[in-house]
Amino acid sequence: MERKGLHVAVVGATGAVGQQMIQTLENRNFPVETLTLLSSERSAGKKEMFKGEEIKVQVAKPESFEGVDIALFSAGGAVSKVLAPEAVKRGAIVVDNTSAFRMDENVPLVVPEVNEDDLKWHNGIIANPNCSTIQMVVALEPIRQAFGLKKVIVSTYQAVSGAGAQAIEELKAQAKAILEGEPFTPEILPVKSDRKHYQIAFNAIPQIDKFQDNGFTFEEMKMINETKKIMHMPELEIAATCVRIPVMTGHSESVYIEVEKEGISAEDIKNVLKDAPGVVLQDDPSEQLYPMPADCVGKNEVFVGRIRKDLDRDNAFHLWIVSDNLLKGAAWNSVQIAESLLKLGLVK
């Protein structure tokens, strides 16, 4: 008997990204015949809705993946390292939303608008890039194709939801405490496991993830290394500064680029982006039209504006890039990869 659809598993189903994955599978009408929801023991037993049906969340273990076609992982790198190979052993294709496999040379790191063809050489695991990387490469790839790309300098303004549900609650609680003149103790940001924590409400924290020996943070190095891998440009000059700001959802990025071609105008860049896949151009200074995180929540696209030519270098430009970090930055890109696998005939 022919199946009506696929057996899909979501690992980390009760987390901020897992919830969005479930919602995105439903919104996209992805061909799901069976949906298995998995989590840690702590969250098991909860119930989630999918297409009007209540599904009980189960504890994730190796045998959970028997008969699964596609497994979407977003439960932290440690879980992925243990369970993703177990899922593959049982015949599943894993789309992993952690940093566990991103820089593994045997694992494709994919943003469908940029390097969909890399899916063709997967060995069972496909890595979903970091949220701040995804939105940037979606905007930069069409520019690279048209004019070449030499250099990228990015500063990010990242929402607290990128640090998980606890960080969202911390922002809300701190804002309330400050406005009511109550005392509070920061416990989550910038890095929960670090010894020092700082206020995020009405503040900006120039640290996301742990510091590396070179003075950059792990988040910054993720952006640098992942961009080179996704765009197949090991020679690209790129630097990043990643900052956490008191916004719930939606990452923003100020990006400086240098292109190969001389004599390019800001209009040329806009013309390339206005028809680019997954991009919405919002750029009209006369109408104060530009992307903002509050407007991108719940939307799958990457929004680009404030495009202008540098005042000193002929081949340099500045852009402002905004996207919902839980959707294009995580859940939607994962489901989009699953859609691409189907389109390319890579799901048995």
Side-chain angles (χ1 to χ4, degrees), residues 42-192:
R42 194 189 54 205
S43 302
K46 287 183 181 171
K47 294 191 171 109
E48 301 292 345
M49 295 299 291
F50 179 70
K51 293 191 172 177
E53 188 189 334
E54 219 175 40
I55 300 176
K56 194 172 177 182
V57 181
Q58 304 164 42
V59 177
K61 43 187 189 281
E63 48 273 29
S64 309
F65 300 98
E66 296 290 350
V68 169
D69 298 298
I70 296 175
L72 306 177
F73 273 70
S74 194
V79 172
S80 290
K81 278 178 183 164
V82 173
L83 289 180
E86 294 290 344
V88 173
K89 254 189 236 171
R90 289 163 174 79
I93 299 175
V94 169
V95 181
D96 182 51
N97 190 48
T98 75
S99 60
F101 303 103
R102 286 179 189 152
M103 297 315 296
D104 184 324
E105 61 186 27
N106 298 310
V107 175
L109 181 66
V110 175
V111 178
E113 292 91 342
V114 180
N115 63 329
E116 186 179 60
D117 278 356
D118 283 352
L119 291 172
K120 291 173 181 171
W121 55 266
H122 83 80
N123 298 304
I125 298 173
I126 295 142
N128 200 48
N130 186 40
C131 45
S132 46
T133 307
I134 291 173
Q135 67 188 66
M136 185 172 76
V137 297
V138 167
L140 294 188
E141 176 62 11
I143 297 170
R144 183 195 70 78
Q145 284 183 17
F147 310 120
L149 189 63
K150 285 203 308 201
K151 187 172 197 166
V152 178
I153 299 173
V154 54
S155 298
T156 72
Y157 307 70
Q158 292 180 228
V160 294
S161 55
Q166 287 181 313
I168 298 173
E169 292 312 310
E170 179 166 75
L171 171 56
K172 287 182 189 170
Q174 285 181 10
K176 187 170 184 283
I178 290 167
L179 292 171
E180 292 174 357
E182 298 291 335
F184 62 91
T185 306
E187 292 175 349
I188 305 294
L189 294 168
V191 180
K192 191 180 177 186

Side-chain angles (χ1 to χ4, degrees), residues 256-259 308-311 313-318:
Y256 166 90
I257 61 168
E258 292 178 15
V259 298
R308 59 216 187 271
K309 199 176 178 88
D310 188 68
L311 299 177
R313 282 185 177 266
D314 178 63
N315 65 334
F317 297 87
H318 300 267

